[in-house]
């Protein structure tokens, strides 16, 4: 496992998943484990779950910057103007149009 997943045939990324560990145990020791069983085994051996980085190794920072400046700026501006009115057909209540002696006016 120290050699990484690529040394065992998983070349798309460098992440050990529980499923990959199950497959590797089966290949090396001819023993069948469930994914949850392998997870518990790895935990007992002192391994902890690992979360891969959010960015891929092949990320092109220059292409991302160009996209942010051109495409994202265009997409971001397409929203409603800040002062746009509501789409609701109801009108705000007016205190002047309320009856003074209506139901609930005296708190009863």
């Amino acid at each position: 496992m120290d050699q990484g997943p690529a040394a065992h045939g998983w070349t798309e990324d460098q992440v050990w998943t529980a499923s990959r560990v199950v497959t590797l145990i089966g290949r090396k020791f001819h023993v069948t484990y469930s994914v949850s069983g392998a997870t518990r085994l790895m935990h007992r051996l002192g391994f902890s779950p690992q979360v891969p980085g959010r960015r891929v190794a092949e990320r092109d920072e220059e292409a991302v910057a160009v996209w942010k400046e051109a495409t994202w700026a265009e997409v971001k501006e397409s929203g409603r103007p800040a002062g746009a009115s509501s789409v609701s057909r109801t009108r705000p209540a007016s205190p002047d149009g309320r009856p003074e002696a209506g139901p609930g006016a005296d708190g009863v």
Side-chain angles (χ1 to χ4, degrees):
M1 285 186 64
D2 290 338
Q3 298 168 348
H8 300 282
W10 293 285
T11 57
E12 56 274 359
D13 58 25
Q14 287 295 305
V15 179
W16 278 113
T17 63
S19 178
R20 290 178 180 180
V21 171
V22 167
T23 303
L24 184 63
I25 291 172
R27 287 179 188 167
K28 295 287 183 181
F29 304 106
H30 306 288
V31 176
T32 304
Y33 268 91
S34 66
V35 173
S36 62
T39 302
R40 287 192 299 271
L41 173 66
M42 298 302 291
H43 184 71
R44 283 194 309 258
L45 294 173
F47 291 92
S48 62
Q50 301 295 306
V51 177
R54 293 273 180 194
R55 294 188 177 161
V56 295
E58 299 85 15
R59 180 175 163 132
D60 183 358
E61 292 297 333
E62 186 177 329
V64 171
V66 168
W67 183 87
K68 282 182 180 179
E69 289 176 16
T71 309
W72 178 242
E74 185 179 315
V75 171
K76 189 175 176 183
E77 292 176 5
S78 65
R80 280 186 356 185
S85 63
S86 172
V87 296
S88 174
R89 289 193 226 164
T90 60
R91 289 181 285 162
S94 170
D96 297 332
R98 293 187 185 149
E100 291 194 25
D106 59 355
V108 179

